[in-house]
Amino acid sequence: MLKFGRILDEVNTQKIGHDIPHWHQIDTPQGLAWVNLNAAPAQGAKPITVFSDGDFPDWADWTLIDDDPVDNGLCDSKIIHSLLYPAGSEKNAAALQRALTDPAVSSKLSKMICKIPSEWDKAKKAVRQQWRKVAFPLNPIPLDNSKFQKLMDDLDKACFWQRFVDNNNKFPSACLPTVDNASKAFYQGAITEDVWFFNPREFILHFRKCNWLSEFEFAQLLPRTLKRLVDTQFKTESKSWEAAFSTAKTWTKALCQGFNKYGILHSKGRLAHFISQTIPETSYLAFLAEPHLQSAKYKPYWGRGIIQLTHKGSYSKYGEFRGIPPTKNAQLGVYAELGWDPDLMIAKPGVPGPKNKKPPSINNVFGCIDSSGFYWISNQSPYAVMLHRLCDVGNTIQNGIEVSKGINGKVLEHKIEGLERRLQALEYCKWILHDSIPPKGGVNITFDWRRNSKE
């Protein structure tokens, strides 16, 4: 399985071996039961099989079809034929149309994964298309030689399988995606002529359930441009794809772990709201620690993290949540009463560079994300509510304003720093995550906020 529970302390957690009992509550036909997933099977019994959300088990209505022995470009699977042409029915266009318009049949067909030779192999296209020249009930108007040759010419332009054949049945380097070392073995293996075909819609729907983002996907969620209000004018800020991908390589894995732990990745709407809040809070995950200004009334508990913890009360609650004993420790200096050092466990400002240029913060990646997830799901002020509730209402501009208020302690709208960028990022993430096509010419955002950047 991809996950078994919630890991509160990543630093002190060890991986569980296969010989260690691992009890998990699961649904059975007889009701809920506790099962040791690592238990050895009893004599004569089948072993316990653990599935991830990337599998296609038969009990989820998926069916593997590999009973089509004839390589002639037609479907000769007995399993599929029994579904399309029930016993006693004729195999003709009318029967096929009736079957394909039957919701029950369509549902079963959509979950079939069919193993057939690729139709994009130029060397075998003529053999596999010969049936188009023969008249039979399912092909009442066959192609003549001229039209058949036109089909062959068109297929010559479309067929791509020869690129694999010419490369010793391996993916050409130009086709290889950016993958980690563990995945390279798959792409470097030999490609067989037989290919498994999915219903495209069901394939996409299935993998959209996977609560994980790749580095590429996370980089997509970082807007290339945003307009910032400076005095009374909007100025465009840009982030290149290279910069976005560099940020994604640092943060994606830990973010996905935190998003799953706190239920943020369980909803595209929650994820859109979370990302839209982090961009102005951290300037694209660059600054995750507030400068240690001695004039701040809440010093030394300055803001830290992606959704920044501030004030001693918030830090104390987070330490309690992490199970850190609030034991006074004089060696921690100003954090002696807290019992742990937020500079080490979350983030601290970077060392100023030439001309006191503000440097990126020095981050504990896990702590930055974990503390923010804790803030997200807990009530950290008398005016705040659990942010999941606000996110689940919707992704409109007004919803974005309400979530921004929740993050900032239910302040008035003109007090919300970076509201203009929060709402732009929300609109951007919404289109990306819902696979929607934005209107041509962009989207207008209207809201009441400030007369200028200084209120």
Side-chain angles (χ1 to χ4, degrees), residues 323-337:
I324 303 172
T327 305
K328 191 170 183 178
N329 184 347
Q331 294 181 347
L332 294 175
V334 293
Y335 302 114
E337 291 187 5

Side-chain angles (χ1 to χ4, degrees), residues 50 57 60 93 98 156 175 222 264 379 450:
V50 180
R98 283 195 301 272
D156 269 345
C175 299
L222 301 178
I264 295 167
N379 299 326
R450 298 173 173 175

Side-chain angles (χ1 to χ4, degrees), residues 9-133:
D9 186 355
E10 186 180 75
V11 176
N12 298 311
T13 299
Q14 296 181 348
K15 293 183 178 180
I16 299 175
H18 291 291
D19 56 339
I20 305 288
H22 192 139
W23 293 92
H24 198 75
Q25 191 179 49
I26 63 172
D27 284 316
T28 73
Q30 290 76 35
L32 290 175
W34 285 93
V35 176
N36 178 9
L37 299 180
N38 285 345
Q43 187 173 1
K46 292 183 178 179
I48 295 174
T49 304
V50 180
F51 294 92
S52 77
D53 58 3
D55 290 315
F56 301 90
D58 55 358
W59 45 263
D61 297 327
W62 293 99
T63 305
L64 299 181
I65 304 296
D66 61 353
D67 65 335
D68 189 348
V70 183
D71 185 9
N72 60 1
L74 294 173
C75 173
D76 291 310
S77 165
K78 292 182 179 180
I79 298 174
I80 295 179
H81 278 213
S82 66
L83 184 63
L84 298 177
Y85 313 109
S89 64
E90 296 184 12
K91 294 183 179 181
N92 55 40
L96 181 60
Q97 185 176 9
R98 283 195 301 272
L100 294 178
T101 54
D102 183 334
V105 173
S106 296
S107 177
K108 290 181 179 179
L109 287 173
S110 70
K111 292 291 190 75
M112 289 184 174
I113 309 173
C114 302
K115 183 180 181 181
I116 57 176
S118 170
E119 70 269 45
W120 302 114
D121 186 349
K122 187 184 298 186
K124 298 182 179 180
K125 67 181 188 302
V127 173
R128 291 176 179 162
Q129 300 297 329
Q130 283 298 317
W131 63 269
R132 296 184 182 275
K133 300 171 67 175

Side-chain angles (χ1 to χ4, degrees), residues 110-306:
S110 70
K111 292 291 190 75
M112 289 184 174
I113 309 173
C114 302
K115 183 180 181 181
I116 57 176
S118 170
E119 70 269 45
W120 302 114
D121 186 349
K122 187 184 298 186
K124 298 182 179 180
K125 67 181 188 302
V127 173
R128 291 176 179 162
Q129 300 297 329
Q130 283 298 317
W131 63 269
R132 296 184 182 275
K133 300 171 67 175
V134 181
F136 57 98
L138 292 177
N139 189 43
I141 305 177
L143 299 181
D144 59 26
N145 289 334
S146 175
K147 292 181 178 179
F148 184 80
Q149 186 57 50
K150 175 66 167 58
L151 174 64
M152 295 296 101
D153 293 341
D154 290 341
L155 286 176
D156 269 345
K157 301 173 184 177
C159 286
F160 59 84
W161 203 255
Q162 209 64 33
R163 295 175 64 190
F164 301 151
V165 176
D166 293 344
N167 199 55
N168 296 320
N169 288 333
K170 293 185 178 181
F171 283 97
S173 57
C175 299
L176 288 176
T178 302
V179 294
D180 54 34
N181 290 330
S183 301
K184 285 182 179 178
F186 168 79
Y187 291 103
Q188 292 172 351
I191 301 171
T192 63
E193 185 185 42
D194 291 327
V195 182
W196 291 98
F197 286 81
F198 288 78
N199 176 293
R201 181 176 180 273
E202 291 296 330
F203 183 85
I204 293 171
L205 286 173
H206 182 72
F207 275 99
R208 285 193 67 171
K209 298 175 184 177
C210 179
N211 292 329
W212 201 263
L213 296 172
S214 68
E215 293 172 352
F216 182 89
E217 289 169 326
F218 181 68
Q220 282 183 298
L221 291 175
L222 301 178
R224 300 284 79 76
T225 60
L226 288 174
K227 295 184 182 297
R228 175 199 286 267
L229 183 63
V230 179
D231 294 328
T232 59
Q233 301 294 320
F234 283 101
K235 293 189 176 181
T236 300
E237 296 180 339
S238 300
K239 188 175 183 69
S240 68
W241 170 256
E242 290 74 19
F245 195 73
S246 177
T247 298
K249 288 180 73 67
T250 299
W251 288 95
T252 300
K253 180 179 178 180
L255 278 170
C256 287
Q257 291 171 336
F259 288 162
N260 277 286
K261 175 178 177 179
Y262 293 102
I264 295 167
L265 255 176
H266 296 178
S267 157
K268 296 296 189 293
R270 294 177 185 179
L271 181 59
H273 278 292
F274 189 97
I275 297 298
S276 68
Q277 294 296 322
T278 66
I279 289 172
E281 290 266 343
T282 66
S283 187
Y284 288 91
L285 298 173
F287 306 106
L288 291 99
E290 185 182 4
H292 289 187
L293 300 176
Q294 297 303 311
S295 59
K297 62 181 180 181
Y298 44 80
K299 71 172 187 180
Y301 297 98
W302 299 280
R304 295 177 179 86
I306 296 178

Side-chain angles (χ1 to χ4, degrees), residues 388-450:
H388 281 346
R389 300 174 189 171
L390 294 176
C391 295
D392 292 344
V393 173
N395 291 327
T396 66
I397 294 302
Q398 188 57 43
N399 297 143
I401 293 173
E402 293 303 318
V403 172
S404 299
K405 288 181 178 179
I407 288 286
N408 290 276
K410 210 63 177 176
V411 298
L412 296 174
E413 292 176 19
H414 71 275
K415 293 284 188 181
I416 302 174
E417 188 65 33
L419 180 62
E420 84 283 34
R421 285 165 289 146
R422 297 173 198 256
L423 298 182
Q424 291 173 72
L426 174 63
E427 192 69 20
Y428 173 84
C429 290
K430 180 171 67 177
W431 292 104
I432 294 291
L433 289 169
H434 291 289
D435 297 331
S436 302
I437 301 175
K440 291 183 178 179
V443 178
N444 293 323
I445 299 176
T446 304
F447 60 99
D448 295 325
W449 186 37
R450 298 173 173 175

